[in-house]
Every structure is written in structure tokens, then in C-alpha cells.
Amino acid sequence: KPTFVQTFAALDNKPTSEHPAGITTFLRKAPLAIGAVQPFTVWVVCTRNALGAFDAPIGATTNRWFVRFNNTSTTIDIHAGIGTASGAFASTTGVRYGIIAVFNGGSSKIRVNGASVFAGATNIGANPLTDFTLGDETGGLGPFHGNVAECGAGAGDLTADVAALAQLEAWIEAQY
């Protein structure tokens, strides 16, 4: 099962939830009293400890959505019910990734470590933000093998607010 790690070196000695290789359980937040319809933005700060084919550090179980590393096609993907948007991205172990994903149907976006890796027209679907899971997603394609230090969500498209986006990315960089 996922475990609490008080200090994790690859994430600036901050506390994390650790999701070991071979473990298929995850942490889940109870369904939100008031879900967020699209557009919504999620962010996660994590590091990978093993490279599975599909590793989702954050997702949902009620209305399926996820952010995942895809080693099969060397991309980072987001999905919200219909299609999967993929941004070219090669990840490795032991590196801190600050991921910001905007779920907005055919106008979705993915940013990693302050850089845009996808801003296209793939229709990912319209599933709302109703709950969180850390360490897996309901598709069962592969549990996350790594550590998660931060995650969060907000209504709207954070990338549309240049100052707020810069503030979040600067905060992630300063903290980790």
C-alpha cells in the first residue's frame, strides 16, 4: 500500500506519499460535495521510481480522468472520458516533475516543469472533477511507481491567467 515518507531526497526532502513498484492500491479522496465541470486545472508534483508502461500519478474513480506517463509512446497523457491527449515527453526516474494539466475538451493543455508539452485539439471528453486518486486510475493500465509531494485542483483554465500560472510554476520551482 502507499506509505507516508517524511523526507524524500528527490523532492527536496519534503514529505511524500510513496507508491512502490508492484503495489496496485492507491490513495483516494472522497467524492467532492460540489464537483468542477470543465474547464478545470489539476497539478501534481511527483517523481518516478520505476518506469511502468503506463503510470498515473493522479486521476479519478467516479468520473474517469487522469494524468499519466506513457512509456509505450514516450508521452504524457490526459484523458477525461473520450480521447487521450498526448504530449511528447520522455521521463526518467529520480527527476522532479511539476505537471499542470488543463481539462477542457478539445482545448486541453499539459505543462511540465514550466514548459508546454501539449496544447492541441484532441477531444479528451467532458468528465468533471468529482474526486481524486493518487497512485492509479480506474482504467487499471498501471499503478504509479513513485512519490507524490503535492497535488491540487481548481476550477477554470489556469493557463488563461498568465500571472496565476507564473505564480504556481514559480512556487513549485521554489519548493521542489
Side-chain angles (χ1 to χ4, degrees), residues 7 57 62 95 163 176:
T7 59
T62 305
V95 174
Y176 301 98

mmCIF file of all heavy atoms in Angstrom, residues 7 57 62 95 163 176:
data_model
loop_
_atom_site.group_PDB
_atom_site.id
_atom_site.type_symbol
_atom_site.label_atom_id
_atom_site.label_comp_id
_atom_site.label_asym_id
_atom_site.label_seq_id
_atom_site.Cartn_x
_atom_site.Cartn_y
_atom_site.Cartn_z
ATOM 1 N N THR A 7 10.719 12.463 4.683
ATOM 2 C CA THR A 7 11.618 13.255 3.843
ATOM 3 C C THR A 7 12.048 12.406 2.658
ATOM 4 O O THR A 7 12.459 11.260 2.822
ATOM 5 C CB THR A 7 12.871 13.730 4.608
ATOM 6 O OG1 THR A 7 13.572 12.597 5.102
ATOM 7 C CG2 THR A 7 12.509 14.659 5.745
ATOM 8 N N PRO A 57 0.098 9.267 -11.861
ATOM 9 C CA PRO A 57 0.249 9.769 -10.505
ATOM 10 C C PRO A 57 -1.038 10.334 -9.924
ATOM 11 O O PRO A 57 -1.214 10.375 -8.722
ATOM 12 C CB PRO A 57 1.320 10.848 -10.626
ATOM 13 C CG PRO A 57 1.292 11.268 -12.056
ATOM 14 C CD PRO A 57 0.853 10.064 -12.831
ATOM 15 N N THR A 62 -14.617 8.131 -9.914
ATOM 16 C CA THR A 62 -16.049 8.304 -10.142
ATOM 17 C C THR A 62 -16.333 8.648 -11.598
ATOM 18 O O THR A 62 -17.028 7.927 -12.293
ATOM 19 C CB THR A 62 -16.616 9.395 -9.216
ATOM 20 O OG1 THR A 62 -16.281 9.058 -7.876
ATOM 21 C CG2 THR A 62 -18.115 9.500 -9.357
ATOM 22 N N VAL A 95 13.701 12.163 -11.100
ATOM 23 C CA VAL A 95 13.595 13.561 -11.531
ATOM 24 C C VAL A 95 12.264 14.126 -11.043
ATOM 25 O O VAL A 95 11.229 13.466 -11.134
ATOM 26 C CB VAL A 95 13.683 13.675 -13.069
ATOM 27 C CG1 VAL A 95 13.435 15.094 -13.536
ATOM 28 C CG2 VAL A 95 15.027 13.164 -13.555
ATOM 29 N N ALA A 163 -0.497 35.523 -14.929
ATOM 30 C CA ALA A 163 0.116 35.826 -13.630
ATOM 31 C C ALA A 163 -0.070 34.672 -12.645
ATOM 32 O O ALA A 163 0.873 34.286 -11.942
ATOM 33 C CB ALA A 163 -0.470 37.111 -13.054
ATOM 34 N N TYR A 176 10.441 22.776 -4.689
ATOM 35 C CA TYR A 176 10.991 21.474 -5.043
ATOM 36 C C TYR A 176 12.159 21.586 -5.984
ATOM 37 O O TYR A 176 12.661 20.673 -6.520
ATOM 38 C CB TYR A 176 9.893 20.598 -5.653
ATOM 39 C CG TYR A 176 8.742 20.398 -4.688
ATOM 40 C CD1 TYR A 176 7.596 21.170 -4.765
ATOM 41 C CD2 TYR A 176 8.852 19.458 -3.660
ATOM 42 C CE1 TYR A 176 6.569 20.988 -3.864
ATOM 43 C CE2 TYR A 176 7.819 19.284 -2.759
ATOM 44 C CZ TYR A 176 6.686 20.050 -2.882
ATOM 45 O OH TYR A 176 5.674 19.885 -1.976
#
